[in-house]
Amino acid sequence: MKDYKNVHILDHPLIRHKLAIIRDKKTNTKQFREIVGELATLMAYESFKDVPTQEIEVETPLEVTKQTVVKENSIAIVPILRAGLGMVDGILTLFPAAKVGHIGLYRDEETLEPQEYYCKLPTGIENKVVMVVDPMLATGGSACDAIKMLKKRGCKKIKLMSIIAAPVGVEKVAEEYPDVEIYVSTLDRCLNENGYILPGLGDAGDRIFGTK
Ligand code: PRP
Ligand code: URA
């Protein structure tokens, strides 16, 4: 894959360890869901390095000091339903005041084209840093559609976080949206004929919600 400036692979031994667990088909729904959340927390720590901040005054027991905190009302998390929901709480652990919007998309099983069925976004989202989350970035169709919807709403600063990505999906998003920072924890080999990531982890939504 080409070297894209806006693509960040968040490699870390702890992330690799957790990835190995969720890839395992023997991992049950409870553990799968917990680890997807933990991976989202670890990835958020790194991918929000440039989070907007503001200065405040804090009085220690000894004196008043200027300190830096995360800027109020500066972040929105937008999971792509369903599987993206599994990453939200893990990010809210670090950014409890973040607003949460929802975009509902599912892939048509024949064409693999994303179909939109829901969109509810926080007011003022256009002035926030928006983190789109979805554990799987396969063809990139769903992520591109979600980004298109957010841009239509006036969002200027958009990031995308996916746990597992296929090179073809990363390329699609990186080329269509060079202004969107893309964070993934691993680049897998390829897609199979049904659009599933190999080696991947199967269907993320089904594994998070135990629907199959
Ligand atoms: C999965 C996944 C992404 C999408 C990725 O969702 O969670 O949203 O597929 O594929 P793409 O990059 O080729 O668009 P799915 O459509 O299975 O819906 P679900 O989350 O409701 O299971
Ligand atoms: N969606 C998933 O849940 N898994 C894949 O491998 C591809 C798309």
Side-chain angles (χ1 to χ4, degrees), residues 80-83 105-107 134 136-142 203 205:
I80 301 179
L81 306 180
R82 287 176 299 170
L105 298 173
Y106 70 89
R107 294 199 310 177
D134 192 327
M136 310 304 276
L137 179 56
T139 64
S142 304
D203 187 304

Side-chain angles (χ1 to χ4, degrees), residues 30 41 52 205:
K30 177 176 183 287
T41 307

Side-chain angles (χ1 to χ4, degrees), residues 83 107 136-139 191 195-198 200-206:
R107 294 199 310 177
M136 310 304 276
L137 179 56
T139 64
L191 298 180
Y196 277 88
I197 299 174
L198 295 176
L201 50 70
D203 187 304
D206 283 336

Side-chain angles (χ1 to χ4, degrees), residues 63-199:
E63 62 177 16
V64 173
T65 168
K66 284 208 165 61
Q67 295 291 309
T68 303
V69 294
V70 173
K71 192 169 174 197
E72 261 178 50
N73 284 320
S74 59
I75 295 176
I77 306 165
V78 177
I80 301 179
L81 306 180
R82 287 176 299 170
L85 285 175
M87 297 174 74
V88 174
D89 285 351
I91 303 176
L92 289 174
T93 302
L94 299 185
F95 299 98
K99 303 286 187 277
V100 182
H102 296 88
I103 291 181
L105 298 173
Y106 70 89
R107 294 199 310 177
D108 180 290
E109 281 179 12
E110 298 287 307
T111 65
L112 300 184
E113 285 299 316
Q115 311 293 317
E116 182 188 331
Y117 63 88
Y118 189 74
C119 182
K120 179 80 181 169
L121 300 170
T123 38
I125 193 168
E126 58 282 1
N127 299 316
K128 299 184 193 298
V129 176
V130 183
M131 180 65 88
V132 178
V133 296
D134 192 327
M136 310 304 276
L137 179 56
T139 64
S142 304
C144 282
D145 261 34
I147 294 167
K148 187 159 84 186
M149 289 160 73
L150 291 165
K151 284 189 174 271
K152 229 163 131 188
R153 279 282 298 263
C155 297
K156 294 171 281 294
K157 177 86 180 157
I158 302 173
K159 292 168 177 270
L160 169 69
M161 189 200 288
S162 286
I163 296 174
I164 296 185
V168 67
V170 174
E171 274 166 3
K172 180 174 167 69
V173 184
E175 301 221 346
E176 279 186 32
Y177 297 107
D179 58 325
V180 171
E181 299 294 325
I182 304 165
Y183 302 88
V184 302
S185 62
T186 182
L187 265 188
D188 272 12
R189 200 170 71 248
C190 61
L191 298 180
N192 73 7
E193 62 284 4
N194 299 318
Y196 277 88
I197 299 174
L198 295 176

